[in-house]
Amino acid sequence: MKKRIAIFASGSGSNAQKIMEHFKYSDEAEVALVLSNNPDAYVIQRADNFEIPSHIFDRNEFYNTDNVVNILKNLNIDLIVLAGFLWLVPYNLLKAYPNQIINIHPALLPKYGGKGMYGDHVHKAVLANKEEEHGITIHFANEHFDEGEIIYQARFKIDPSDTLDIIKFKGQQLEHQHFPKVIENLLKKM
């Protein structure tokens, strides 16, 4: 029986795309559902391109009902992947999926994490602090932003001439390279 993955994303979904590509022909796992809090998110189109169903929800449905949890349970989801998803995970979802929700963060946690630290906000802070290295963190989600147990980190050197666009690109390359493999390894342990 294939393990089943649900991906939550709020925006473009480039990491979601890499995950969908990685598992498209897998005998071990499949992406069964893509969920978004943004009806205009390009990740919905990416899911359609792979013929993967999607579900769009609003704040009330996510935080004040069990609808999302029930959808995931009805689809026998084994692992939830947050790939550029910007809302805090509610308690009912954490309780239903203990140690089965992972997130990717565009920095080396515990540095540059927490509320408001996403996307360009992270990279601008890293540049402003003249950090010599930067990277990505894949971690379990918990009731706080970016504080769950770290699963994997990958690093790159920041050159003095690196611009915001260059460090974003370097980080995204690491995300695309490592996130699908970390997911695959986690699923093997489940």
Side-chain angles (χ1 to χ4, degrees):
M1 184 99 160
K2 283 187 180 184
K3 299 286 187 187
R4 295 171 62 82
I5 303 164
I7 299 174
F8 283 71
S10 296
S12 168
S14 67
N15 273 309
Q17 168 105 18
K18 293 297 179 187
I19 296 163
M20 289 184 266
E21 288 171 3
H22 185 85
F23 291 103
K24 183 173 173 83
Y25 300 108
S26 169
D27 293 330
E28 308 298 316
E30 65 185 341
V31 177
L33 183 65
V34 171
L35 302 97
S36 184
N37 57 323
N38 177 2
D40 299 321
Y42 188 65
V43 72
I44 302 300
Q45 181 61 52
R46 292 182 195 265
D48 286 347
N49 294 345
F50 282 84
E51 298 180 348
I52 295 170
S54 57
H55 177 74
I56 298 165
F57 55 87
D58 62 19
R59 187 168 287 280
N60 181 61
E61 180 182 0
F62 195 52
Y63 288 108
N64 300 323
T65 75
D66 285 327
N67 290 359
V68 173
V69 171
N70 292 337
I71 289 167
L72 297 168
K73 289 294 184 185
N74 287 339
L75 291 174
N76 298 311
I77 298 299
D78 296 292
L79 183 68
I80 296 169
V81 175
L82 310 179
F85 182 68
L86 302 181
W87 288 0
L88 195 62
V89 178
Y91 177 75
N92 65 334
L93 190 51
L94 291 168
K95 186 177 175 196
Y97 285 91
N99 292 319
Q100 294 169 277
I101 306 173
I102 65 170
N103 182 46
I104 192 160
H105 185 74
L108 296 168
L109 293 174
K111 286 183 168 184
Y112 306 105
K115 188 169 176 57
M117 291 305 280
Y118 61 89
D120 285 358
H121 300 289
V122 171
H123 305 306
K124 286 176 182 175
V126 166
L127 284 173
N129 289 327
K130 299 186 181 348
E131 296 283 358
E132 293 181 4
E133 71 173 3
H134 192 24
I136 63 163
T137 302
I138 300 166
H139 65 93
F140 287 107
N142 66 13
E143 63 275 10
H144 305 288
F145 283 112
D146 306 323
E147 292 184 15
E149 178 189 346
I150 292 172
I151 300 165
Y152 182 84
Q153 290 185 313
R155 303 165 187 273
F156 64 86
K157 186 179 180 309
I158 298 177
D159 296 318
S161 62
D162 282 357
T163 63
L164 176 66
D165 286 339
I166 289 172
I167 70 165
K168 277 170 53 175
F169 177 77
K170 287 180 177 180
Q172 195 168 56
Q173 293 301 105
L174 287 181
E175 291 176 4
H176 293 172
Q177 178 185 350
H178 295 287
F179 206 13
K181 292 176 190 169
V182 169
I183 292 165
E184 186 174 293
N185 289 336
L186 271 177
L187 289 170
K188 285 177 182 172
K189 297 174 187 171
M190 294 177 92

